[in-house]
């Protein structure tokens, strides 16, 4: 994979690990830190430039940084999101970020391009020293 696009951002959210016997079972919040690494075998056009000079737009990768009222995860109560529900562990959120980010990137591809060469690695820090990684 010749190209790796890498970007990092944070979002602040609240959650409750339903059924957890301990402090995580109570309403609390985190400043989540996200690193997304997207690899590609070739360059493509994007929504903003029609020449094949990009892996993807950074803007597309950073969707989750947006406020929850604009479709992101910032200032959300994560348990309210239908795709997460009561299972808002770092593991579940990382898998969700993986699925949803790849879906959004593939939405921007030209017709006939299935993006089969794209690979995404998600790293999600719930605290400064605890991270979950998800990739396929
Ligand atoms: Zn927590």
């Amino acid at each position: 994979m010749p190209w790796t696009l890498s970007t990092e951002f944070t979002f602040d959210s609240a959650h409750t690990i339903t059924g957890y016997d301990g402090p995580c079972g109570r309403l609390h919040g985190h400043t989540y830190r996200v690193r997304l690494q997207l690899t590609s075998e070739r360059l493509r056009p994007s929504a903003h430039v029609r020449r094949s000079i990009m892996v993807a737009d950074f803007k597309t990768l950073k969707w989750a940084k947006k406020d929850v009222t604009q479709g992101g995860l910032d200032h959300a109560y994560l348990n309210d999101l239908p795709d997460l529900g009561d299972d808002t562990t770092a593991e579940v959120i990382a898998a969700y970020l993986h699925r949803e980010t790849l879906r959004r990137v593939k939405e921007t591809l030209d017709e006939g391009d299935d993006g089969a060469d794209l690979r995404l690695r998600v790293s999600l820090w719930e605290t400064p020293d605890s991270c979950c990684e998800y990739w396929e």
Side-chain angles (χ1 to χ4, degrees):
M1 292 289 188
W3 288 280
T4 300
L5 213 58
S6 186
T7 188
E8 291 191 30
F9 58 89
T10 62
F11 65 90
D12 298 315
S13 290
H15 77 154
T16 305
I17 306 294
T18 305
Y20 188 95
D21 181 21
C24 295
R26 298 194 299 267
L27 175 63
H28 64 285
H30 298 282
T31 295
Y32 290 94
R33 175 153 208 89
V34 181
R35 178 187 295 147
L36 300 176
Q37 293 171 286
L38 182 66
T39 61
S40 177
E41 285 177 3
R42 62 190 186 88
L43 299 181
R44 298 176 157 86
S46 84
H48 302 283
V49 60
R50 297 309 304 157
R51 298 189 310 286
S52 294
I53 55 174
M54 295 182 130
V55 172
D57 258 305
F58 282 114
K59 205 185 292 183
T60 306
L61 293 178
K62 291 183 158 194
W63 68 272
K65 183 181 169 60
K66 286 193 254 173
D67 191 87
V68 68
T69 61
Q70 285 149 26
L73 296 178
D74 192 48
H75 285 74
Y77 178 50
L78 297 173
N79 298 59
D80 278 350
L81 302 178
D83 288 319
L84 293 173
D86 287 333
D87 297 323
T88 54
T89 59
E91 292 87 336
V92 171
I93 298 167
Y96 171 63
L97 284 167
H98 186 275
R99 188 167 69 243
E100 187 60 20
T101 303
L102 259 190
R103 187 187 70 74
R104 288 171 186 246
V105 167
K106 287 183 177 180
E107 254 180 21
T108 69
L109 301 181
D110 285 347
E111 206 174 319
D113 179 1
D114 64 0
D117 60 311
L118 294 170
R119 296 283 179 276
L120 179 66
R121 177 185 291 249
V122 174
S123 308
L124 177 71
W125 285 263
E126 197 175 69
T127 64
D129 56 8
S130 300
C131 177
C132 174
E133 294 204 316
Y134 186 95
W135 75 95
E136 288 175 334

